[in-house]
């Protein structure tokens, strides 16, 4: 992997990397050379690689990952690693001997002949916007800024937060809704450029379209003092603090308001996906819930569980991962206890999907949340789940992978079979497909054996094998990137979170949610408005202009804007 990266013209390699390459010799035996490096040399090389390739996910440097994880654990940093099993998947002898532990009953290999979702006559339907909030005709003609405001809890900001902020301010300094929306527009406009001191955008003498300076100035739309005043005065909860130390109290009302707004506005399609979003932060001491998530390009900060519609990539529910920073005195979250046992992963899955209970939708579950009991609990509530089965120190509980692999010995590549079973009297299947070296396995509470999408494998000997994915596999491989698509739209090429370099964690959470709203707005503008795809920067720039010149601006201010 190092050699492949070094051939990239992204940046000239540093001296330590040149030395490393020269040490590889002519035998091309990279593995042998790597094992001969001392731990200190590995650490130095890892550090230099990140300097030369800052945009490459940390997972690309796997040779150094284990060492980094151990050192971060020693420093007290919480690790969110794909290889760590969910607590519900730990299946030791003590748990097996527990008489209250649910028992799985497997039958003989072979599809049962029934898709449990089709039995309910469930249909595949498109996502929708609540027509009470925006008619179909309005959706076609809405501008980018209006889409953003729909995706933002603007009513809550106006009626709750601005009222509370202004109650503490003299009348002459109170913040109007149009000012708040304009302030957000300015930040999004700043997030279309980088490499400039923020003060320069209020200095009309620094603008130079040819070689240097800022590309635009902002003194004509808001004074620098007023902009900084709003920056300092915002807060995001009016709920009194509890009588215990709750580090997440300042942002929970904001999170809930954002989720409630999306619940009223957006109706997801028949296929949704649960995944992970990261909000970047670099200081453990000032960030509740701070963790290291090595599988993501933004590895440090807050982890957010997110659920998105597969057909349009709109995220409609988020929940911050509180981890070890959650107060033991805080009230228990909904669904965290099931059948008298603590089931936090399952509880999270149920909270994420609560708004679609009894809708017979399909939810694609990220492999780190692959818990069979979770899929069963979803099925009990009218939601059909599927997850790819991967080893995370343990294989998922109730899944005998050795028996599955024995069954697929000597089978042709592309061969598909299903193992039916029941848990808590709820039927499910383990759908499996033979690969060249392994077996791809899915646990699912729906699905059939009908071939859907054509795919192929190129074997080591050059032979090409063609076969079809069955429904469960086709849906998963088609839709598993819905959350990631939204993340990429928010994070690249310039993110609002990085642009607003703040020391206030609550402000950073607000930037994360506004970034998600902007990504949602772009996907909605394209999907519901029928518009062509455009770059994130182009959309953000025009959206920011719509917000700066928003509909709430008083006539006196609008006249001044038009004169300028």
């Amino acid at each position: 992997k190092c050699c492949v990266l070094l051939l990239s013209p992204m940046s000239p390699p540093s001296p330590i990397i040149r030395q490393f390459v020269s040490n590889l010799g002519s035998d091309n035996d990279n593995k042998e050379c790597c094992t001969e490096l001392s731990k200190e040399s590995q650490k130095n090389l890892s550090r230099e690689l990140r300097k030369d390739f800052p945009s490459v996910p940390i997972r690309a440097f796997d040779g150094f990952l284990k060492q980094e994880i151990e050192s971060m654990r020693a420093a007290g940093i919480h690790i969110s690693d794909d290889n760590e099993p969910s607590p519900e998947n730990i299946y030791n002898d003590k748990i097996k001997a527990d008489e209250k532990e649910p028992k799985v009953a497997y039958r003989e290999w072979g599809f049962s002949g029934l898709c449990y979702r089709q039995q309910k006559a469930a249909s595949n339907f498109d996502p929708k916007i609540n027509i009470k909030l925006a008619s179909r005709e309005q959706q076609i003609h809405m501008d980018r800024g209006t889409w953003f405001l729909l995706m933002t809890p603007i009513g809550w900001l106006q009626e709750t937060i601005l009222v509370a902020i202004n109650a503490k301010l003299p009348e002459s300094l109170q913040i109007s809704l149009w000012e708040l929306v304009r302030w957000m527009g300015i930040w999004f406009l700043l997030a279309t450029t980088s490499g400039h001191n923020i003060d320069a955008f209020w200095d009309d003498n620094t603008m130079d379209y040819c070689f240097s300076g800022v590309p635009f100035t902002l003194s004509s739309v808001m004074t620098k003092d007023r902009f900084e005043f709003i920056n300092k005065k915002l807060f995001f909860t009016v709920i009194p603090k509890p009588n215990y130390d709750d580090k997440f109290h300042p942002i929970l009302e904001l999170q809930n308001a954002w989720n409630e707004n999306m619940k009223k506005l957006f109706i997801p399609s028949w296929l949704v996906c649960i995944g992970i979003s990261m909000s970047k932060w670099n200081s453990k001491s000032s960030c509740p819930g701070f963790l290291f998530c090595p599988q993501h390009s933004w590895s440090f900060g807050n982890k957010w569980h997110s659920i998105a519609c597969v057909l349009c990539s709109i995220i409609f529910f988020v929940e911050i991962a509180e981890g070890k920073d959650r107060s033991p005195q805080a009230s228990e979250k909904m669904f965290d206890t099931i059948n008298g046992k603590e089931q936090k992963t399952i509880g999270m899955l149920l909270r994420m999907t609560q708004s679609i209970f009894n809708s017979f939708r399909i939810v694609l579950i990220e492999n780190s949340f692959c818990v069979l009991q979770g899929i069963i609990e979803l099925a009990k509530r009218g939601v059909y789940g599927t997850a790819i089965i991967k080893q995370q120190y343990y294989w998922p509980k109730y899944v005998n992978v050795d028996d599955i692999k024995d069954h697929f010995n000597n089978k042709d590549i592309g061969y598909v079979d299903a193992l039916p079973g029941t848990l808590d009297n709820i039927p499910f299947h383990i759908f499996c497909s033979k690969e060249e070296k392994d077996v791809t396995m899915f646990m699912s509470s729906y699905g059939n054996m009908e071939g859907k999408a054509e795919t192929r494998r190129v074997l080591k000997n050059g032979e090409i094998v063609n076969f079809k994915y069955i429904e469960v596999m086709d849906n998963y491989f088609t839709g598993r990137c819905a959350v990631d698509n939204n993340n990429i739209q928010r994070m690249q090429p310039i993110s609002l979170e990085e642009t607003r370099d703040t020391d206030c964690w609550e402000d950073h959470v607000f930037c994360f949610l506004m970034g998600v709203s902007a990504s949602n707005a772009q996907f909605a503008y394209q999907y519901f408005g029928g518009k062509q795809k455009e770059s994130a920067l182009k959309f953000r720039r025009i959206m920011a202009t719509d917000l700066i010149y928003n509909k709430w601006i008083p006539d006196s201010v609008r006249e001044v804007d038009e004169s300028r």
Side-chain angles (χ1 to χ4, degrees):
K1 287 180 180 176
C2 295
C3 291
V4 173
L5 289 170
L6 292 168
L7 292 174
S8 167
M10 290 161 57
S11 63
S14 57
I16 190 170
I17 295 179
R18 290 195 190 97
Q19 181 182 1
F20 173 73
V21 175
S22 66
N23 290 340
L24 289 177
S26 58
D27 59 357
N28 293 323
D29 192 354
N30 296 4
K31 291 183 180 178
E32 182 180 344
C33 181
C34 285
T35 56
E36 290 175 359
L37 289 173
S38 66
K39 288 186 178 180
E40 186 63 31
S41 297
Q42 290 183 30
K43 190 182 297 183
N44 290 338
L45 178 60
S46 177
R47 188 182 303 114
E48 294 299 322
L49 283 169
R50 279 165 179 74
K51 287 180 183 177
D52 285 341
F53 308 103
S55 63
V56 177
I58 197 168
R59 181 65 76 176
F61 310 113
D62 258 346
F64 314 102
L65 186 58
K66 185 175 180 181
Q67 182 179 341
E68 289 183 352
I69 287 176
E70 293 307 317
S71 63
M72 289 178 191
R73 277 205 179 97
I77 295 175
H78 179 58
I79 310 295
S80 177
D81 185 11
D82 268 354
N83 290 319
E84 293 185 344
S86 299
E88 294 90 337
N89 277 334
I90 298 174
Y91 201 39
N92 53 34
D93 292 337
K94 182 179 179 181
I95 294 174
K96 291 178 183 178
D98 187 353
E99 294 181 358
K100 296 181 180 180
E101 182 69 21
K103 308 299 180 185
V104 172
Y106 283 108
R107 302 197 295 274
E108 294 296 322
W109 277 94
F111 181 56
S112 65
L114 295 173
C115 172
Y116 309 114
R117 183 171 182 264
Q118 288 179 351
Q119 281 185 312
K120 302 291 185 180
S123 60
N124 297 349
F125 48 87
D126 294 333
K128 295 178 182 178
I129 295 293
N130 187 342
I131 58 173
K132 293 181 180 179
L133 300 176
S135 68
R136 187 72 190 97
E137 186 68 21
Q138 288 174 323
Q139 293 172 35
I140 294 172
H141 297 100
M142 276 199 303
D143 62 30
R144 297 164 181 82
T146 305
W147 274 115
F148 170 79
L149 293 172
L150 271 179
M151 299 289 172
T152 305
I154 198 69
W156 172 79
L157 286 171
Q158 178 185 13
E159 297 167 10
T160 303
I161 298 304
L162 279 184
V163 170
I165 292 173
N166 288 333
K168 300 179 179 181
L169 298 174
E171 187 175 351
S172 60
L173 294 177
Q174 290 184 358
I175 302 168
S176 304
L177 179 61
W178 74 267
E179 281 187 295
L180 179 64
V181 174
R182 175 168 283 194
W183 173 84
M184 288 192 286
I186 289 173
W187 271 117
F188 276 113
L189 191 59
L190 291 171
T192 63
T193 183
S194 62
H196 304 288
N197 187 307
I198 196 169
D199 292 333
F201 289 93
W202 274 268
D203 184 352
D204 293 336
N205 297 321
T206 64
M207 190 167 67
D208 184 340
Y209 289 101
C210 297
F211 303 106
S212 62
V214 296
F216 51 82
T217 58
L218 297 165
S219 54
S220 63
V221 294
M222 184 177 285
T223 66
K224 182 66 167 30
D225 289 343
R226 188 62 173 170
F227 181 75
E228 291 294 348
F229 179 81
I230 297 175
N231 281 345
K232 295 174 182 177
K233 293 299 178 181
L234 283 184
F235 54 83
F236 305 104
T237 186
V238 296
I239 299 174
K241 287 184 178 181
N243 54 8
Y244 57 88
D245 181 24
D246 185 356
K247 297 179 180 179
F248 297 91
H249 174 264
I251 61 94
L252 289 180
E253 187 180 359
L254 170 62
Q255 172 189 280
N256 295 337
W258 193 94
N259 287 333
E260 189 61 30
N261 178 71
M262 290 303 299
K263 181 181 178 180
K264 294 177 181 177
L265 171 71
F266 182 66
I267 304 168
S269 70
W270 63 278
L271 187 62
V272 299
C273 172
I274 292 178
I276 291 173
S277 302
M278 287 295 294
S279 174
K280 181 185 286 188
W281 193 262
N282 295 319
S283 173
K284 177 180 181 296
S285 60
S286 59
C287 178
F290 181 87
L291 51 74
F292 172 50
C293 196
Q295 66 268 31
H296 286 266
S297 53
W298 282 6
S299 302
F300 297 94
N302 287 120
K303 181 172 78 170
W304 293 78
H305 301 133
S306 308
I307 183 168
C309 170
V310 167
L311 271 61
C312 60
S313 294
I314 289 176
I315 289 177
F316 58 92
F317 188 93
V318 295
E319 180 181 88
I320 193 168
E322 300 182 28
K324 297 179 180 179
D325 285 336
R326 179 172 174 79
S327 171
Q329 297 173 279
S331 59
E332 186 180 81
K333 290 185 178 181
M334 187 182 297
F335 304 120
D336 268 3
T337 298
I338 297 175
N339 298 328
K341 291 185 177 181
E342 187 177 72
Q343 310 268 17
K344 290 189 176 181
T345 303
I346 298 172
M348 180 273 296
L349 293 176
L350 295 178
R351 289 192 298 276
M352 300 290 287
T353 56
Q354 187 177 10
S355 65
I356 59 172
F357 280 176
N358 300 312
S359 65
F360 308 129
R361 285 178 171 89
I362 295 170
V363 57
L364 311 177
I365 301 171
E366 213 231 18
N367 65 279
S368 56
F369 309 136
C370 175
V371 178
L372 181 57
Q373 185 71 52
I375 287 178
I376 297 303
E377 295 297 330
L378 287 171
K380 291 177 182 178
R381 293 161 176 81
V383 179
Y384 297 93
T386 185
I388 193 168
I389 298 172
K390 291 186 176 180
Q391 186 175 15
Q392 297 167 312
Y393 292 121
Y394 306 92
W395 288 101
K397 188 195 277 188
Y398 308 125
V399 180
N400 193 327
V401 174
D402 291 335
D403 287 352
I404 292 174
K405 291 185 176 182
D406 288 343
H407 177 74
F408 277 82
N409 270 344
N410 303 319
K411 296 292 193 297
D412 293 333
I413 293 172
Y415 174 80
V416 179
D417 207 346
L419 180 62
T422 57
L423 178 61
D424 284 352
N425 296 318
I426 301 295
F428 67 92
H429 284 91
I430 305 293
F431 291 100
C432 305
S433 175
K434 175 72 166 148
E435 299 287 344
E436 184 175 14
K437 291 184 177 180
D438 214 334
V439 180
T440 301
M441 297 168 283
F442 290 85
M443 55 175 67
S444 179
S445 56
Y446 83 101
N448 56 45
M449 299 291 284
E450 180 184 348
K452 293 287 186 181
E454 288 279 355
T455 188
R456 70 172 190 170
R457 296 289 185 270
V458 180
L459 309 186
K460 280 191 173 182
N461 61 10
E463 180 185 355
I464 297 176
V465 178
N466 295 291
F467 60 97
K468 287 185 176 182
Y469 281 137
I470 60 173
E471 181 185 22
V472 167
M473 298 176 185
D474 182 41
N475 287 341
Y476 184 85
F477 290 125
T478 299
R480 61 180 172 174
C481 294
V483 173
D484 287 339
N485 291 340
N486 196 293
N487 292 340
I488 291 169
Q489 201 75 9
R490 170 178 56 88
M491 294 159 57
Q492 298 178 0
I494 307 170
S495 73
L496 179 64
E497 294 152 87
E498 291 176 306
T499 301
R500 191 177 180 197
D501 187 15
T502 174
D503 294 328
C504 178
W505 175 69
E506 299 97 290
D507 288 346
H508 202 73
V509 171
F510 180 72
C511 288
F512 165 77
L513 290 173
M514 294 306 99
V516 177
S517 294
S519 297
N520 283 349
Q522 180 164 1
F523 286 122
Y525 180 76
Q526 293 166 180
Y527 187 90
F528 298 108
K531 304 299 192 299
Q532 291 184 343
K533 290 184 179 181
E534 57 191 17
S535 71
L537 289 184
K538 179 180 178 181
F539 179 88
R540 194 181 298 164
R541 184 167 55 250
I542 302 174
M543 182 193 77
T545 305
D546 293 338
L547 297 177
I548 289 171
Y549 300 105
N550 61 79
K551 64 181 181 180
W552 293 289
I553 295 175
D555 292 339
S556 58
V557 177
R558 194 177 299 278
E559 289 174 4
V560 174
D561 288 341
E562 290 174 355
S563 68
R564 289 170 174 169

